[in-house]
Amino acid sequence: MRVVRSVLGVLLALIGLLVGLAGAAAAFWLIGPDDTVKSGDQHLTSKGLAIASSPDLLDRHGPVLHVEARSSDGKPIFVGVARDFDVASYLKGFAHTSLVQVQYPIALTTQEKKGAAGPLTAPATLDWWVAKANGTGSQSIAWPISDGPYDVVVMSADGKTAPDVQVDLGIEIPHAFLTALGVFVAGLLLVAIGILLLLFRRRRPTSPQPVFAPYVHGQPVQGPPTQAPTGSVRRVAVIGVALSLVTGCSAIPQRDTVESLTRPAVSNETAAAVVKHYNEVNNAANRRRDDKLIATIEAGTVVRESQAGYAISRTLDKSGKDLIKPFTYTKPVVGAPNYGTYPMHFVVSAGISDTKDYRYLGVWERTTAGSPWMLTFAAAPAAAAKVPDITGLHPVTNADAKRLAAAPQAASTALAEYLTVGAKSPRAASFTPNADVTKLLATVADWHSTAAKQPKIYQHVSDQFTIATPPTAFVTKSGAALVFATVTEDFKLDIGTNYSFNWSSGDPIGFSPATVKYQNALTRTTLHDAVLLVPAKGAGKITLLSFESQLIDAGGY
């Protein structure tokens, strides 16, 4: 037994020494009283515009991530955390440095990513960061790590210059310092137990004294139960406590279970700021009829319509007496669907300051994480129109499309076919009557009637309606879909032999002066913005909430 105790004592002492050293190193070198494991200052540079961690580095959630950075040259810097899909979109195509490995406490491994030289949008102006700090000197963030793929980004605040920074990364684990101290104490206890086992000597037992058990009626009388030696119990208890400290006294951060993230396209506060900015710039552009200025807040067919309106205005109102009066969109209600990729959209329903007869419906788009919000669709349905609640919108999925009376693309195509064929089109039965559509179809019918009466002058008239770009569509709380579609109308009048025609008045002369004559054909292109409400199957016809038109070109050959 003496040999066994000696071997056990040596083993416990050695184990205790190792455990104690590990606990002391963790408590007094790696962690410290703030429960934070730090990398220490690391000098990082990039040949590109940013230094971004890969999502694999933050694959556990729960602890608090600390990032402290300062520029080596004193320039303002930015430190932020965002969802991986936002960061990936922001840096896509631009040269940057990827932080691919962190070996605590002293080593960071990076990898250069090739791309354009920039510049990037100033990061502090973007609204999708979950934590950020920006400015001169030392900048730091503390962020409780959430489940899912997130990235840390360090870059120059202007988004134009390559970062040269000192970075200190840290992970704060609750009770880590006390745990390390506990491990240190456990190691000391194991050493003490090992020494006691080495020094312990058991005394030789004395000669046993005879024990006479009394008998009653020939049976032995039972005495009190024998007690186990208390020393062994205590030793076992001490070892058990020590091992429990060594094997972990604080929770190990859990591995991430969320593989992809989504978020609302925009917050209500940011959307309100976007609308306010639009009101200011739009009024300034309208006042100056400024094509370039309006293109900073509008995109797609909307900016083409605005610029076409300016072209017409500059021709018909050279003095500028009939400019669009200033107006604003008031009390905006925001419908912000969730997205996990780009492009993103949100919808605004608002009042119009200079009229109570109409409301405003607008669709805003951000194509990448670094691009601004741009208005891509605008409509003004009548105040009496039954516009559904736009809060809680979500993009139309394939499953949604199967439940609707018509998928968004099919509904838009049906509208274009209806307009091309006219009131007798079989597609007409799919739509509720709309006054603006009825008026347009009557105008088209008049052209055809005139041409039929004078075939030598008007050889042929054609009006072709098409959907040039896929519509933007969302499902509302009611289950119906709001579809925003732009229909392109291409009008052509073939001129008879020995005749010539010109656009003599009205909006077309904004593109084709009245003095210009054409011998073969007159042409005209108009964009029609339609807002469709598509119900579920069996719930009725498609409703046209709004149908507005803007001539964007006219001419001939």
Side-chain angles (χ1 to χ4, degrees):
M1 291 296 294
R2 181 178 179 182
V3 174
V4 173
R5 288 198 304 273
S6 297
V7 172
L8 183 58
V10 170
L11 289 175
L12 286 178
L14 289 175
I15 293 172
L17 180 62
L18 294 175
V19 170
L21 289 175
F28 303 114
W29 183 46
L30 285 177
I31 301 174
D34 60 356
D35 294 331
T36 304
V37 181
K38 294 185 177 181
S39 68
D41 278 354
Q42 301 291 313
H43 183 212
L44 294 177
T45 61
S46 175
K47 295 179 181 179
L49 297 174
I51 301 166
S53 67
S54 66
D56 295 339
L57 290 185
L58 300 178
D59 61 352
R60 293 181 181 271
H61 58 279
V64 177
L65 172 69
H66 293 266
V67 182
E68 184 175 358
R70 65 183 185 277
S71 176
S72 299
D73 53 15
K75 294 181 179 179
I77 64 167
F78 174 88
V79 180
V81 177
R83 297 165 183 84
D84 176 63
F85 75 85
D86 284 316
V87 174
S89 175
Y90 180 51
L91 298 179
K92 184 178 181 180
F94 292 94
H96 63 280
T97 299
S98 179
L99 181 61
V100 296
Q101 188 176 25
V102 177
Q103 294 176 324
Y104 286 100
I106 57 172
L108 303 180
T109 304
T110 60
Q111 187 178 71
E112 294 294 333
K113 301 290 186 180
K114 296 181 179 180
L120 286 166
T121 303
T125 63
L126 301 171
D127 61 329
W128 37 260
W129 300 100
V130 298
K132 64 180 180 179
N134 183 74
T136 57
S138 180
Q139 300 296 316
S140 62
I141 59 172
W143 174 65
I145 302 175
S146 298
D147 194 351
Y150 287 86
D151 302 335
V152 179
V153 177
V154 180
M155 60 187 295
S156 298
D158 60 6
K160 300 177 181 178
T161 55
D164 184 345
V165 295
Q166 296 289 333
V167 177
D168 186 6
L169 301 177
I171 297 291
E172 180 185 341
I173 304 174
H175 313 302
F177 180 65
L178 291 178
T179 299
L181 286 180
V183 172
F184 174 62
V185 172
L188 295 180
L189 289 174
L190 289 174
V191 171
I193 294 170
I195 293 173
L196 287 175
L197 288 175
L198 287 171
L199 298 178
F200 180 73
R201 298 287 189 274
R202 179 180 290 181
R203 290 181 300 174
R204 292 178 180 275
T206 58
S207 299
Q209 298 296 323
V211 178
F212 300 96
Y215 283 76
V216 178
H217 301 296
Q219 298 295 328
V221 178
Q222 298 294 328
T226 303
Q227 298 292 326
T230 57
S232 299
V233 174
R234 291 194 185 99
R235 285 197 296 272
V236 172
V238 170
I239 294 173
V241 172
L243 289 175
S244 68
L245 288 170
V246 172
T247 54
C249 296
S250 64
I252 297 175
Q254 296 182 352
R255 281 196 174 276
D256 287 351
T257 58
V258 177
E259 296 182 357
S260 61
L261 296 168
T262 62
R263 64 172 178 83
V266 71
S267 66
N268 287 338
E269 293 77 14
T270 298
V274 169
V275 174
K276 180 180 179 181
H277 176 68
Y278 178 86
N279 288 336
E280 295 168 354
V281 177
N282 181 55
N283 283 325
N286 289 343
R287 185 170 59 253
R288 303 201 297 258
R289 296 183 287 206
D290 191 330
D291 292 345
K292 291 183 179 179
L293 183 58
I294 198 66
T296 64
I297 56 172
E298 294 181 351
T301 57
V302 172
V303 72
R304 290 181 65 191
E305 292 170 7
S306 294
Q307 292 170 344
Y310 294 160
I312 295 169
S313 176
R314 285 191 290 265
T315 301
L316 300 183
D317 180 27
K318 297 182 184 298
S319 63
K321 292 182 179 180
D322 295 323
L323 295 177
I324 300 174
K325 295 180 180 179
F327 67 95
T328 58
Y329 298 128
T330 61
K331 299 179 180 180
V333 177
V334 180
N338 278 2
Y339 289 94
T341 186
Y342 286 85
M344 293 185 178
H345 299 89
F346 72 88
V347 181
V348 169
S349 174
I352 305 175
S353 62
D354 62 352
T355 180
K356 294 183 179 180
D357 296 331
Y358 297 91
R359 286 191 59 79
Y360 166 77
L361 270 180
V363 179
W364 304 77
E365 180 181 71
R366 172 180 269 172
T367 55
T368 71
S371 60
W373 284 107
M374 305 289 279
L375 183 68
T376 57
F377 190 98
K386 296 181 179 180
V387 177
D389 181 5
I390 65 169
T391 61
L393 296 178
H394 70 262
V396 177
T397 64
N398 290 334
D400 292 324
K402 293 178 181 179
R403 291 192 293 267
L404 295 171
Q409 181 66 51
S412 303
T413 302
L415 174 62
E417 293 177 3
Y418 167 29
L419 296 175
T420 298
V421 176
K424 295 182 179 180
S425 168
R427 298 291 190 181
S430 301
F431 299 88
T432 57
N434 177 276
D436 294 313
V437 170
T438 300
K439 182 178 179 180
L440 172 63
L441 293 179
T443 301
V444 172
D446 286 344
W447 272 105
H448 283 279
S449 176
T450 300
K453 293 177 181 178
Q454 304 180 63
K456 291 184 178 181
I457 301 176
Y458 308 100
Q459 287 190 343
H460 181 70
V461 173
S462 65
D463 240 341
Q464 190 70 32
F465 294 82
T466 58
I467 303 295
T469 58
T472 304
F474 308 93
V475 175
T476 65
K477 290 179 180 178
S478 67
L482 264 179
V483 180
F484 301 90
T486 298
V487 183
T488 301
E489 177 191 1
D490 290 309
F491 170 86
K492 180 184 175 185
L493 169 63
D494 291 322
I495 302 170
T497 305
N498 299 325
Y499 289 93
S500 63
F501 279 74
N502 65 314
W503 294 107
S504 59
S505 62
D507 290 353
I509 65 173
F511 308 98
S512 178
T515 56
V516 178
K517 294 187 177 182
Y518 305 98
Q519 282 72 42
N520 296 305
L522 289 179
T523 59
R524 182 185 65 198
T525 302
T526 305
L527 296 180
H528 305 279
D529 295 321
V531 181
L532 310 177
L533 185 63
V534 182
K537 287 181 178 178
K541 297 182 178 181
I542 300 171
T543 301
L544 274 162
L545 297 176
S546 176
F547 188 84
E548 301 167 61
S549 306
Q550 174 63 56
L551 179 71
I552 63 166
D553 192 23
Y557 55 90

